Amino acid sequence: MPHSLLVSLQQHIMEVRALCIRLLMTVNILLCTHDQNVDAVSLRVVPNKSQFFKYESVSFYCEEISNGHVLYKMKEEVEQCNTTSKKTTASSTGSQCTIHYLYASDSGEYWCGTAGGNRSNNIYITVTDGSVILESPAVPVMVGDAVTLRCRIKMLSSNFTADFYKNGRHIGSSSTGNMTIHEVYKTDEGLYKCNISGGGESLASWLSVSLPCLTVSYTETHIDLILRTVFNIVMVTLLLLLLGFLCCGKIKVTTTNSPAC
C-alpha cells in the first residue's frame, strides 16, 4: 500500500476519533446538566433510614433557594408541613420539617415542591408498632459506596443474632445486628428485611442504587480506552479491505511485482 494512502487513512481515523470523543463528552455534559436541573429541588431525611419506631423523630430538609416546602402523601391526600402540627423552619437554602413524635399515620411518601411546580425526589418512610426495624438508607446510594444495614430491636439488648434477607433469600447473619456491603452495585438493589430470633421480623424496605453522573476526567479516561480499542479494530479492518482491493485490481497501483488474486 502506498505510504501516502496509509498516512491519509490514519489522519482520517484520528479526526473521526477526536470527533467521537467530543460528541460523547458533549452528550455526557448535557445529561449531567439535565440531571442537575431535574434535581434542582432535593429532599433529604435525617436520620437517613426508611423505617422508624413509633414516637421516634425525623427531619426532612428541602434544599432549594426559593424555600420549597415539605409535602407528603398519605391515602392520596397531600398536606403541607407548615399547615399541620409539624414544625417547620426556613433558611436561605430551603426549609426543614421536623416530626418530633412519629405515628403510623405519618407513614407515606414525602417530597417537597415550590410554587413554580418544581418537585424533588420522593422519600418513603414507614412507622411501625412492631418490635424490630431494619435501618437502611431512604435515599438512593451511589454505585461503589459502602452501605451498612442495621437490625434494631425496640427492647434494648446486646445479645442477639440478626438474620438478613434480600428478596426473601437469606444473605447473612450478624451477632452485632449490622451487615455491611462494602461496595454496592446495581445488582444489590432489592427488598431487604431482617429477623431477630425471639424478637421478631422487620418490614421489608427497598434499597435503591444509583449510577453517578460521569465526570469529565472519568469520561476522558474510559472513553479514550474504548475508542482506542474500537478504532484499532476498524483500522485493521480497513487496511485488510484495501489490501483486498489492491490484490483484486480494484485500486490500481503502479508496481512491477503485483501479486495475482
Side-chain angles (χ1 to χ4, degrees), residues 126-142:
T126 303
V127 183
T128 178
D129 286 324
S131 57
V132 176
I133 63 171
L134 175 67
E135 294 186 341
S136 61
V139 297
V141 295
M142 291 295 180

Side-chain angles (χ1 to χ4, degrees), residues 23 33 45 80 90 111 115 124 129 146 148 154 163 188 210 213 229 250 258:
L23 288 174
T33 303
V45 59
Q80 189 163 313
W111 67 83
Y124 192 92
D129 286 324
T148 298
K154 184 179 290 185
D163 291 296
D188 291 311
S210 296
C213 186
T229 303
K250 294 185 178 180
S258 297

Side-chain angles (χ1 to χ4, degrees), residues 15-32:
E15 290 173 359
V16 173
R17 179 175 177 272
L19 177 60
C20 288
I21 291 175
R22 289 197 297 270
L23 288 174
L24 287 170
M25 290 180 65
T26 301
V27 169
N28 179 67
I29 292 171
L30 290 174
L31 289 174
C32 290

Side-chain angles (χ1 to χ4, degrees), residues 3 7 14 35 39 44 49 118 128 132 134 143 149 152-153 176 222 228 238 260:
H3 178 70
V7 171
M14 293 299 294
D35 289 342
D39 296 331
R44 60 186 180 91
K49 61 179 185 177
N118 294 327
T128 178
V132 176
L134 175 67
V143 167
L149 306 178
R152 279 185 56 200
I153 186 168
T176 63
H222 288 71
R228 188 184 303 117
L238 289 174

Side-chain angles (χ1 to χ4, degrees), residues 14-15 26 45-46 51 57 82 92-93 100 125 129-130 136 142 158 167 177 191 207 213 221 223 243:
M14 293 299 294
E15 290 173 359
T26 301
V45 59
V46 177
Q51 293 183 23
S57 65
N82 62 355
S92 60
T93 58
H100 293 288
I125 70 166
D129 286 324
S136 61
M142 291 295 180
S158 58
N167 298 331
L191 283 171
L207 177 66
C213 186
T221 302
I223 295 301
L243 286 174

Side-chain angles (χ1 to χ4, degrees), residues 24 220-232:
L24 287 170
E220 288 176 342
T221 302
H222 288 71
I223 295 301
D224 185 68
L225 178 61
I226 294 171
L227 289 177
R228 188 184 303 117
T229 303
V230 171
F231 279 103
N232 283 339

Side-chain angles (χ1 to χ4, degrees), residues 133-135 148-152 158 160-164 173-180 194 196:
I133 63 171
L134 175 67
E135 294 186 341
T148 298
L149 306 178
R150 296 180 175 88
C151 196
R152 279 185 56 200
S158 58
F160 65 86
T161 297
D163 291 296
F164 293 87
S173 301
S174 171
S175 58
T176 63
N178 299 338
M179 188 188 76
T180 299
C194 67
I196 295 176

